[in-house]
Amino acid sequence: MKQRYARVPTSEASATAASRRKKERSELAEAVATKIQAFAWVAAGGFVAYHTKLLSVLLSSTVANRVWLDVAAATFAINCVLMFYLAIWLPYVQRITYEWSVHCPRVIPTMTGVGIACGASLLRGLWPVWGLLTPLILAVVAMACLMSLHFVPTCC
């Protein structure tokens, strides 16, 4: 393979400009690769959710354990309320400008525990439907939901 000729920088300014361009190009390539991977997860999650009929199973399956699905729905609602509190109520209503961990240090650990309870109860509620494939199905759909946030526009 032939080596390409690269001009030797004659000044410090041209050397920093070249390194800056190289860094910008590397950051752009990394951002594009991240978006491609996120799209692949979202596509895989949509494929799995469509072919397993996830929404109809969650809403109307007689095989699923309804008690555990209700617990999962309740814990998900609790996490949504806590997220609303952190993301909307504190900064826009109460005008809190400092970190969440300073104002309310127990909310994030509480959300973690409630989220684990939500995942476990969802797993237990859907186990009669898909059996051993349930953790794999839920993991792919959860990763798709997480990666879909890459496509939400930011305001800043």
Side-chain angles (χ1 to χ4, degrees):
M1 181 174 188
K2 286 185 178 181
Q3 274 191 325
R4 291 179 26 183
Y5 172 76
R7 186 176 294 249
V8 177
T10 56
S11 69
E12 188 68 30
S14 63
T16 58
S19 67
R20 183 176 37 80
R21 280 194 309 270
K22 187 175 182 180
K23 181 180 176 189
E24 288 173 358
R25 192 169 166 181
S26 172
E27 288 174 353
L28 178 65
E30 185 176 338
V32 168
T34 301
K35 293 291 184 185
I36 290 171
Q37 290 174 8
F39 178 76
W41 274 110
V42 171
F47 180 82
V48 168
Y50 177 76
H51 285 288
T52 59
K53 298 177 180 55
L54 181 65
L55 194 58
S56 65
V57 167
L58 285 173
L59 296 177
S60 63
S61 175
T62 57
V63 179
N65 191 334
R66 284 281 142 205
V67 173
W68 286 106
L69 289 180
D70 291 344
V71 170
T75 54
F76 183 75
I78 290 169
N79 257 353
C80 288
V81 168
L82 289 174
M83 191 65 207
F84 174 81
Y85 174 72
L86 291 177
I88 306 295
W89 187 262
L90 288 181
Y92 296 113
V93 176
Q94 289 195 343
R95 307 271 186 222
I96 302 296
T97 57
Y98 43 90
E99 293 282 331
W100 297 339
S101 58
V102 174
H103 184 72
C104 44
R106 294 189 192 111
V107 174
I108 298 296
T110 302
M111 288 179 71
T112 303
V114 171
I116 290 170
C118 179
S121 59
L122 190 61
L123 186 67
R124 178 69 178 99
L126 292 175
W127 190 270
V129 180
W130 296 302
L132 209 53
L133 289 176
T134 305
L136 181 64
I137 291 168
L138 292 180
V140 170
V141 171
M143 281 299 292
C145 291
L146 184 67
M147 292 297 167
S148 70
L149 296 176
H150 279 276
F151 305 108
V152 175
T154 59
C155 62
C156 301

